Amino acid sequence: WSSDVCSSDLLDVHLMLSEPDGHLQAFADAGADAITVHVEVLPHLHRTVHVIKALGVRAGVALNPSTPVIALEEIARDVDLVLVMSVNPGFGGQSFIPGSVRKVAAVRDLLRRVDSCASIAIDGGIDRETAPGVVAAGAEILVAGQAVFGAADPGDALRRLREAAGLVRPME
C-alpha cells in the first residue's frame, strides 16, 4: 500500500458521472482527499485533473474495462492515482474481468516510463482469488465490495483478503 496516497483515513471520491466537472468543488469542500474521474467522459481530461489539483485534492483517473491504457499517455505524469476498473461500472457483485491483470501491468509500465509516482488501484470482482494476481501486476490499492460486505463476517473476510493479497502475514 502506498503510504503517501493511501492511508486509513483517506477519502477518495470516485465520480462515476457523465459530467463530473460541475461537482468537483462540492466534493473538495466536503473533505475529499482525492477525486477520481473517468477518462471516457471527459473531453478535456487535462483541464479537469488540474482543476482537481488546484482544489488541493489528489487527482485520480479511472479506466473502464474497454478503455486502452494509451488513453492515459498524455496525462499519466499529472495524476496521483490510476484506477483500473475490473468490471463494468454500475453495480456490485460482477465477475472479475481476467484481462484486468494485464491492464494493471500496462499501467504500471506506463507510469514507470513517464517517471510518475502515481498509485494504481483496482475495483471490481476483487476477492481472495483475484487479489494476488493484481498485486503482483502492480496494484497497490484494492477496492473490494462484495467479497467483504457480502460475507457473514466482514472483518474476517477483510483479514483473509489482505492475507491472500500478501498485505499481511497469515495468523497462526
Side-chain angles (χ1 to χ4, degrees), residues 57-83:
V57 176
R58 294 180 180 126
V61 177
L63 291 173
N64 283 339
S66 65
T67 303
V69 173
I70 193 141
L72 296 176
E73 187 86 27
E74 298 301 321
I75 195 71
R77 190 173 281 121
D78 298 331
V79 300
D80 301 301
L81 172 77
V82 175
L83 173 61

Side-chain angles (χ1 to χ4, degrees), residues 76-156:
R77 190 173 281 121
D78 298 331
V79 300
D80 301 301
L81 172 77
V82 175
L83 173 61
V84 174
M85 294 298 300
S86 44
V87 297
N88 289 297
F91 60 94
Q94 296 180 62
S95 296
F96 180 83
I97 297 171
S100 302
V101 175
R102 285 188 310 277
K103 186 177 247 182
V104 168
V107 169
R108 180 200 62 218
D109 292 345
L110 169 63
L111 294 175
R112 284 182 182 158
R113 193 169 63 250
V114 301
D115 197 29
S116 170
C117 62
S119 293
I120 302 171
I122 188 158
D123 181 358
I126 300 301
D127 58 24
R128 291 182 2 213
E129 287 73 40
T130 59
V134 298
V135 168
E140 303 162 272
I141 301 167
L142 310 181
V143 179
Q146 188 67 25
V148 173
F149 297 106
D153 183 345
D156 182 60

